[in-house]
Amino acid sequence: MKKVCVISGKLAFIKVGLSKIGLGNMELNNKALGRLIRTLALPVFLQVAPHQAVAATLYEDLGGDEGVAGVVDQFLWNLADDERVNEYFVETNLDRFRSKLIEYICQVAQGPCAYTGDDMARTHANMNVTESAFNVTVESLILAMETRNIPTGVQNRLLKALAVSYSDVVEE
């Protein structure tokens, strides 16, 4: 009932407004009146309607610099603790690996970073990364994101963005 009253009040307001601009005696059928009301009400609606937030980048959804670094740090701890893959990183310069991985994820996630490391094929050349080891690494990354409370949808977006380098990492 209240909706009808509110709508009637708005119609009356619009009719008063039409008469002020010289259209008060103009007869409108329901369809034309509806179009006119929508046309006149749209600017008002847009001013009072809550603005939707612009879609955030994946980088922002990961928490920006701090969030990406936190995921990478947790990921490195997970890899170090996992005997299925930690042998791949025995001779790795961990400081460089960490900084380049942060850069890489930041860039892949549309952040303000530029990745300055080697391409993925060159980085993983002669490492003989198996599909199984790759999957364990992905599992470690997922666990790191879950530990950091990254929502599942955001996790999936990052995994999708990283998946394009699968063929550069895994030796078949």
Side-chain angles (χ1 to χ4, degrees), residues 27-124:
E27 286 193 29
L28 298 171
N29 64 32
N30 286 340
K31 191 174 182 181
L33 181 60
R35 274 195 310 263
L36 180 61
I37 290 169
R38 284 190 300 275
T39 302
L40 293 173
L42 183 62
V44 173
F45 174 75
L46 291 176
Q47 287 178 354
V48 297
H51 295 284
Q52 291 184 351
V54 176
T57 64
L58 177 54
Y59 170 78
E60 292 166 335
D61 286 343
L62 287 167
D65 287 338
E66 185 178 316
V68 170
V71 168
V72 167
D73 289 344
Q74 184 62 54
F75 174 61
L76 294 177
W77 282 110
N78 294 348
L79 291 175
D81 287 341
D82 197 322
E83 292 180 7
R84 298 173 293 173
V85 293
N86 61 15
E87 68 186 52
Y88 286 96
F89 304 97
V90 170
E91 295 185 28
T92 300
N93 175 336
L94 291 178
D95 288 333
R96 177 177 164 74
F97 179 52
R98 178 184 182 275
S99 70
K100 295 304 169 196
L101 186 56
I102 289 171
E103 280 180 8
Y104 186 70
I105 290 176
C106 178
Q107 179 177 300
V108 166
Q110 304 106 20
C113 310
Y115 176 63
T116 59
D118 294 330
D119 64 48
M120 290 298 110
R122 183 179 200 140
T123 299
H124 295 89

